[in-house]
Amino acid sequence: SQTIHQWPATLVQPVGSPLSLECTVEGTSNPNLYWYRQAAGRGLQLLFYSVGIGQISSEVPQNLSASRPQDRQFILSSKKLLLSDSGFYLCAWSRHRVDETQYFGPGTRLLVL
Amino acid sequence: AQSVTQLDSHVSVSEGTPVLLRCNYSSSYSPSLFWYVQHPNKGLQLLLKYTSAATLVKGINGFEAEFKKSETSFHLTKPSAHMSDAAEYFCVVISHYSGTYKYIFGTGTRLKVLA
């Protein structure tokens, strides 16, 4: 069966510090991968998605970036965090098929102070 | 363009009473629709999905949803609420854009279950 991991689970960082969140998927190959952000009291916003190694599409211009160094690894980064980057970050995966279900990880709670 | 509207931001029910969470969709073609549940500080868990097969879709934990094309609705129901159902629920439609397929989320409905 497939599983998706995210770490860390919780992170408190000062403004201006760098960020690296990691997501890995087990039990499948060549998945589509997604990063979402959920701000307090708001819905989910798609940040990045990837259909393969090194292939990243950005949905929203911001100070975040994503990378996919391996088939089942997806990393969300920032060089300098802003207060507005606080939120709940969710990684998800899906198969390469039309209308395929997305499966979500447990999430990372980021608080920027 | 595809979109979903969750008609209630908060719903409160008593334990043992029926649950109705409403979702209307907009789509220029036959849509794929999903309901997810999110417990506090957790990821999203798939409850059920509709992909043009049976219009009444049964999901996990006793939830079901009915696709009604004439009403452009995909409401989520459960006959009897349990305390563990207290969570946030998201309705999702798939958007087709430039050869890619993306989730369009509703704004969520927070379900409160009263003892």
Side-chain angles (χ1 to χ4, degrees):
Chain A
S1 65
Q2 299 83 24
T3 55
I4 178 169
H5 305 279
Q6 288 186 243
W7 62 86
T10 305
L11 191 60
V12 180
Q13 292 284 88
V15 169
S17 63
L19 173 74
S20 181
L21 303 181
E22 189 166 344
C23 170
T24 59
V25 181
E26 296 177 354
T28 188
S29 61
N30 196 28
N32 290 339
L33 295 171
Y34 311 83
W35 277 114
Y36 290 89
R37 177 169 61 200
Q38 188 176 27
R42 299 174 66 179
L44 280 84
Q45 178 186 39
L46 178 64
L47 301 175
F48 301 94
Y49 68 93
S50 171
V51 299
I53 296 175
Q55 301 179 62
I56 309 294
S57 296
S58 174
E59 290 295 299
V60 182
Q62 56 207 322
N63 70 319
L64 299 172
S65 62
S67 62
R68 185 170 176 174
Q70 300 180 41
D71 181 45
R72 290 168 289 175
Q73 184 184 34
F74 204 23
I75 296 173
L76 183 69
S77 303
S78 174
K79 293 182 179 178
K80 287 186 177 182
L81 284 168
L82 306 173
L83 287 174
S84 57
D85 291 324
S86 293
F88 193 51
Y89 289 81
L90 289 159
C91 182
W93 74 274
S94 70
R95 295 182 179 87
H96 276 282
R97 274 198 346 226
V98 176
D99 298 342
E100 193 52 76
T101 303
Q102 291 186 22
Y103 300 94
F104 288 80
T108 294
R109 173 74 59 191
L110 172 65
L111 179 60
V112 183
L113 300 175
Chain B
Q2 291 74 41
S3 66
V4 288
T5 302
Q6 292 185 242
L7 300 169
D8 306 292
S9 59
H10 294 82
V11 170
S12 292
V13 300
S14 297
E15 190 176 21
T17 65
V19 175
L20 170 64
L21 304 182
R22 299 183 294 166
C23 173
N24 285 0
Y25 71 90
S26 173
S27 178
S28 54
Y29 49 84
S30 183
S32 291
L33 294 158
F34 304 76
W35 275 101
Y36 283 83
V37 60
Q38 184 181 30
H39 291 275
N41 294 308
K42 301 291 185 185
L44 275 70
Q45 180 184 20
L46 178 70
L47 282 176
L48 49 82
K49 67 178 180 180
Y50 167 78
T51 54
S52 73
T55 56
L56 182 61
V57 183
K58 293 189 183 296
I60 62 171
N61 300 335
F63 284 95
E64 62 182 36
E66 186 171 8
F67 174 75
K68 293 187 176 180
K69 185 176 181 180
S70 60
E71 299 176 11
T72 61
S73 69
F74 189 57
H75 300 336
L76 182 69
T77 61
K78 183 173 180 178
S80 177
H82 190 273
M83 296 299 289
S84 61
D85 295 328
E88 188 150 25
Y89 293 79
F90 292 95
C91 183
V92 178
V93 68
I94 283 191
S95 170
H96 299 244
Y97 175 73
S98 298
T100 62
Y101 304 91
K102 301 175 187 174
Y103 270 21
I104 304 298
F105 285 85
T107 50
T109 298
R110 187 167 298 278
L111 176 66
K112 186 174 182 179
V113 182
L114 306 172

